[in-house]
Amino acid sequence: MIFSASKKLTVNADSGIRLLRRILSASILTVAIAFNLILFAGTPPAFASLTDDRFDGTIYALYAGNGSLVPPKVKLTDSFKRNKPALLVFYTDDSSDSKQYAIVVSQLQEFYGREADIMPISVDSLPPQPSPELTEPGHYYEGFVPQTVILDQSGKVVFNEKGQIPFEQVDDAFRKVFDLLPREKSLPLKRRVVNELNVELSK
């Protein structure tokens, strides 16, 4: 009889220990879930932004809606061989100025892409030292993004500006290269908003 009571006491103690372990495991799991929810709820979401210097991806596809610009379809040596004007735009994917200027470069391709070679050049792809070769884009890079360089049919630099340049300023340079009428003597180009990032130019 004493042995039976002792056995019952041992069984009850084992059950209590198992119950205690279950409660402890459930408590640890609950704390872990709560901690993860607090951690992830406090982390700001990663949204692409036109106005910061954060890497969001390829800016010409993301902000200009024109993934066809990168990588460039031709090399500068090809432009020299064909006596074709070239537009070099030096940029980085983590520069807010480059992000915003990508839209202008896409507009320039729309108007001049058939007659000139439009070449956005990521400065990350350039060698550390400037190239002495005129046929290498690194020869024209001056350590700033964005930087816009236009070479005419003979390979001469006819335009070299840093920062975000208005479409009209680059358009004026191209008009001289192609011997087109000045803007004031031709049909005016007015910007039409397509969406919050892209604009088109229309007559």
Side-chain angles (χ1 to χ4, degrees):
M1 193 76 176
I2 296 172
F3 179 73
S4 177
S6 174
K7 191 174 181 181
K8 280 183 180 178
L9 194 60
T10 304
V11 169
N12 286 341
D14 287 343
S15 298
I17 290 171
R18 280 198 295 267
L19 180 62
L20 187 61
R21 284 180 181 164
R22 284 182 189 161
I23 292 171
L24 189 59
S25 296
S27 299
I28 291 172
L29 183 62
T30 303
V31 169
I33 290 171
F35 179 75
N36 282 331
L37 287 174
I38 292 168
L39 180 67
F40 288 115
T43 304
F47 291 117
S49 174
L50 194 63
T51 57
D52 63 38
D53 293 329
R54 187 175 57 219
F55 175 77
D56 303 314
T58 305
I59 61 174
Y60 283 92
L62 188 60
Y63 295 108
N66 192 347
S68 69
L69 281 168
V70 289
K73 290 183 172 52
V74 296
K75 294 185 177 181
L76 189 54
T77 52
D78 300 325
S79 296
F80 276 55
K81 288 175 186 175
R82 296 182 297 173
N83 298 319
K84 199 169 182 181
L87 172 69
L88 305 177
V89 178
F90 297 98
Y91 75 96
T92 60
D93 285 315
D94 58 356
S95 157
S96 61
D97 289 337
S98 292
K99 290 176 185 181
Q100 294 169 47
Y101 192 56
I103 299 166
V104 174
V105 178
S106 185
Q107 294 168 356
L108 290 165
Q109 186 203 34
E110 181 184 348
F111 282 89
Y112 295 104
R114 291 183 181 175
E115 301 301 324
D117 291 326
I118 313 292
M119 290 179 266
I121 308 291
S122 171
V123 299
D124 296 330
S125 67
L126 298 176
Q129 298 299 323
S131 172
E133 300 295 327
L134 296 176
T135 55
E136 290 296 324
H139 177 80
Y140 305 95
Y141 179 55
E142 297 176 356
F144 194 91
V145 292
Q147 179 189 346
T148 306
V149 177
I150 296 178
L151 306 170
D152 67 10
Q153 294 89 334
S154 66
K156 178 185 174 185
V157 175
V158 294
F159 185 85
N160 186 356
E161 293 290 336
K162 300 177 185 73
Q164 294 187 57
I165 310 300
F167 171 90
E168 294 76 13
Q169 193 173 344
V170 187
D171 177 52
D172 286 341
F174 266 130
R175 285 175 183 266
K176 290 177 184 175
V177 167
F178 292 112
D179 197 24
L180 301 175
L181 287 173
R183 187 178 298 102
E184 60 272 11
K185 294 184 180 178
S186 63
L187 291 173
L189 299 174
K190 296 180 181 177
R191 290 188 176 176
R192 179 170 62 88
V193 174
V194 176
N195 58 40
E196 65 275 9
L197 291 179
N198 298 327
V199 293
E200 283 183 354
L201 291 169
S202 58
K203 294 179 180 178

